[in-house]
Amino acid sequence: MKGKAIIADGKGNHSLEEIRLEKPNDDEVLIAIGASGVCHTDYDSIKHWPGPFIVGHEGAGIVLETGPHVSDLKAGDHVILNWAMPCGTCFQCLNGQTNICEKNSPVVHHGAYNAGHAGLERTTYQGQGILRSFNLGTMSTHTIVREPAAIKVDHDIPFTSACIVGCGVMTGVGSVLNTAQVKPGSRWSSLEPEGSD
Ligand SMILES: [Zn+2]
Ligand SMILES: [Zn+2]
């Protein structure tokens, strides 16, 4: 099928272009994007990552079609797209650092294709498989991802709220819980008014 996507050349230019998407294979899912967040990494990427690539890695949308091996999603489901899809078997995953999975994490190799995600050839631009930011490319009418990269959410969550969970929210929550190790009930005492306990 045909779609449209914002494609960056990696030199600071980007434009709306036509892309083609294959039918979903195996455990792949075809998603109609409902909303895409804009992350600071997008700003960096359009100038510094090797182009061409489809911009955007925070997305939410509706499942349009599923591959024959998809078990938990069906057409009509609402999903958040997930680029942090651990393989579960590499050195980093086995040591609890699933965010830097050696096989699937785009955090480790910016702008590169990561082998655990839907193949490059599944989405084409001008007849060639095209890179997608964090293997998602959410600034697009459609995208193809593997089933573990699409997390089902309730229909009453607006796409515009759901989409930012995929990067902005999980980065913030990870910083609070893993890096700062803030515990339940913690507070910053300087925020308290004088004399309060
Ligand atoms: Zn981001
Ligand atoms: Zn891994």
Side-chain angles (χ1 to χ4, degrees), residues 47-67:
K47 286 189 276 187
H48 301 301
W49 290 6
F53 67 92
I54 300 176
V55 186
H57 56 273
E58 297 183 340
I62 301 178
V63 174
L64 284 189
E65 204 176 332
T66 57

Side-chain angles (χ1 to χ4, degrees), residues 86-90 93 101-103:
C87 75
T89 57
C90 74
C93 283
C101 168
E102 292 172 9
K103 194 172 168 197

Side-chain angles (χ1 to χ4, degrees), residues 45-165:
S45 70
I46 61 173
K47 286 189 276 187
H48 301 301
W49 290 6
F53 67 92
I54 300 176
V55 186
H57 56 273
E58 297 183 340
I62 301 178
V63 174
L64 284 189
E65 204 176 332
T66 57
H69 299 151
V70 171
S71 51
D72 293 329
L73 293 172
K74 59 182 189 317
D77 283 345
H78 288 200
V79 292
I80 292 173
L81 297 177
N82 170 32
W83 49 258
M85 199 176 74
C87 75
T89 57
C90 74
F91 174 84
Q92 298 297 353
C93 283
L94 293 174
N95 281 283
Q97 308 281 347
T98 53
N99 58 317
I100 50 172
C101 168
E102 292 172 9
K103 194 172 168 197
N104 295 346
S105 176
V107 173
V108 184
H109 304 289
H110 269 164
Y113 167 63
N114 299 103
H117 292 264
L120 265 186
E121 76 291 351
R122 313 293 295 141
T123 310
T124 56
Y125 168 58
Q126 295 181 343
Q128 305 248 318
I130 185 161
L131 287 164
R132 300 174 298 161
S133 176
F134 284 33
N135 309 288
L136 297 178
T138 57
M139 293 191 195
S140 181
T141 54
H142 301 84
T143 191
I144 294 180
V145 298
R146 290 188 51 221
E147 187 177 14
I151 313 297
K152 195 169 160 180
V153 292
D154 290 344
H155 282 227
D156 58 356
I157 303 174
F159 291 130
T160 47
S161 303
C163 68
I164 60 167
V165 173

Side-chain angles (χ1 to χ4, degrees), residues 188-193:
W188 187 21
S189 59
S190 64
L191 288 175
E192 298 296 320

Side-chain angles (χ1 to χ4, degrees), residues 39-42 57-58 83 134 166-168 171:
C39 177
H40 185 267
T41 302
D42 295 322
H57 56 273
E58 297 183 340
W83 49 258
F134 284 33
C167 186
T171 303

